[in-house]
Amino acid sequence: MKTQFFFAPHPALSSLVNNFMIGHIKLAHPEDRLSFPFPPLPEHSILFYPFDKPTVEDVITGKIHYTYSCTITGPQTERINLAFGDNLLVIKIGFQPGGLHRLLGMPMGEMLGYKDYDGQDIFGSGVNDVTDAMANASSFTEMKIIAENFLFNHVSKLKKILPIDYVLPQILQNGGLVKIDTLAKKACMSNRQFERTFKDRIGLSPKFYSRLVRFGKAWLIKENNPAVTWTEIAYRCGYFDQMHLIRDFQVFAGSNPRVIADELAQMPFSLDNRIFC
């Protein structure tokens, strides 16, 4: 059984949060542990796992580790495999580009080095009360409200919003196809200032982040539309040709498009990752 819903944030949180996603996967046969290829994606997130916690496998090293009950993660720049237990409930806070930086007040490059970060180390043991409240909630709507209240309890610590914070979401909205100097001008910054501030907020350079956005979009199109050819996807995502898409596959997925398509075809259902909005 798979259930998944997306919620728009409270208007007071819209400059900080892109979306709330709540998903529940419960297996009829607990021994049938599911494993999914998970794409490189540009989103900063806080993930709550009130019940089973998934395991993460690094496809390059083969190393496996458990996530945390409250996991903070930055843009995923490489493919991973996620394995689920028999009762996975996940409540995701998906941030606007730069939103997590404003909330935590720390350079996002420091977050990327840890891959997954334990939310308890950032927010203290009180975050466990939030996870427990979600476990006892009677509906997805109530879980979303609990997540919003969690953020409202921390908004007093938000870093001041700057013009660049209004500009960054345009990279998602345009699928990574936007000129960096155009964004710098809109942010009232020189290119050098923009790149330095961008790295603090995102953890990646503007150019590499834009590539990640474009590649993530290409992956999700294929995942949700298996019949669409890679050639068509390359065209729709603004690649010069299919070879440029294949090059990004090597960079972000460590594989080629055919292998990924075969893996996606074996998935019993797709996981909606609605971040390009």
Side-chain angles (χ1 to χ4, degrees):
M1 179 192 74
K2 172 212 167 191
T3 309
Q4 187 178 20
F5 287 98
F6 280 82
F7 297 90
H10 187 285
L13 296 173
S14 61
S15 68
L16 188 70
V17 177
N18 181 306
N19 65 80
F20 292 91
M21 186 280 293
I22 302 178
H24 191 198
I25 297 175
K26 191 172 179 63
L27 301 181
H29 305 287
E31 66 276 8
D32 296 335
R33 190 172 178 84
L34 296 176
S35 180
F36 291 85
F38 194 82
L41 290 176
E43 190 173 49
H44 287 104
S45 304
I46 296 180
L47 304 157
F48 294 92
Y49 298 106
F51 302 134
D52 292 347
K53 298 186 289 293
T55 60
V56 177
E57 178 188 8
D58 187 315
V59 297
I60 304 298
T61 65
K63 292 183 178 180
I64 298 175
H65 68 275
Y66 275 95
T67 53
Y68 304 100
S69 295
C70 175
T71 296
I72 303 173
T73 184
Q76 300 294 318
T77 58
E78 57 192 37
R79 174 173 59 109
I80 59 175
N81 289 330
L82 286 178
F84 303 151
D86 64 302
N87 188 16
L88 176 79
L89 174 65
V90 55
I91 298 92
K92 184 199 76 172
I93 303 173
F95 288 90
Q96 296 283 11
L100 187 60
H101 169 79
R102 292 185 58 223
L103 180 68
L104 301 183
M106 62 186 296
M108 288 295 99
E110 297 180 12
M111 301 291 297
L112 286 174
Y114 289 94
K115 304 298 182 182
D116 295 334
Y117 208 103
D118 189 348
Q120 187 169 302
D121 291 341
I122 299 294
F123 299 109
S125 59
V127 77
N128 296 327
D129 296 332
V130 177
T131 308
D132 290 342
M134 291 172 171
N136 293 308
S138 59
S139 68
F140 281 5
T141 300
E142 184 180 351
M143 294 175 197
K144 182 251 189 179
I145 292 172
I146 293 169
E148 286 187 327
N149 288 336
F150 164 75
L151 292 177
F152 280 125
N153 288 334
H154 293 86
V155 291
S156 62
K157 304 174 185 177
L158 280 180
K159 290 178 69 68
K160 181 181 178 181
I161 193 166
L162 299 176
I164 190 173
D165 296 303
Y166 295 108
V167 169
L168 293 179
Q170 295 181 26
I171 301 177
L172 285 182
Q173 294 162 6
N174 290 280
L177 302 176
V178 59
K179 293 184 177 180
I180 303 305
D181 57 350
T182 300
L183 296 178
K185 289 178 182 178
K186 289 183 177 181
C188 304
M189 293 178 171
S190 68
N191 284 7
R192 182 174 296 180
Q193 288 175 319
F194 182 81
E195 180 154 343
R196 182 174 62 250
T197 306
F198 190 100
K199 285 183 177 179
D200 274 347
R201 278 163 161 68
I202 302 296
L204 303 170
S205 72
K207 183 177 180 180
F208 192 78
Y209 180 77
S210 296
R211 283 182 66 188
L212 177 60
V213 168
R214 183 170 61 170
F215 178 79
K217 181 178 179 180
W219 177 302
L220 295 181
I221 289 175
K222 185 66 173 179
E223 182 172 330
N224 292 291
N225 304 275
V228 178
T229 67
W230 286 118
T231 300
E232 172 65 17
I233 291 172
Y235 173 78
R236 287 169 60 176
C237 294
Y239 283 94
F240 181 76
D241 56 26
Q242 189 172 342
M243 288 305 299
H244 284 75
L245 174 60
I246 291 173
R247 182 188 63 184
D248 273 2
F249 260 95
Q250 293 298 328
V251 171
F252 294 115
S255 187
N256 62 65
R258 181 177 298 177
V259 170
I260 299 303
D262 290 343
E263 290 184 3
L264 294 176
Q266 296 174 21
M267 292 172 57
F269 47 75
S270 63
L271 298 174
D272 192 351
N273 294 285
R274 199 174 307 169
I275 64 174
F276 297 99
C277 56

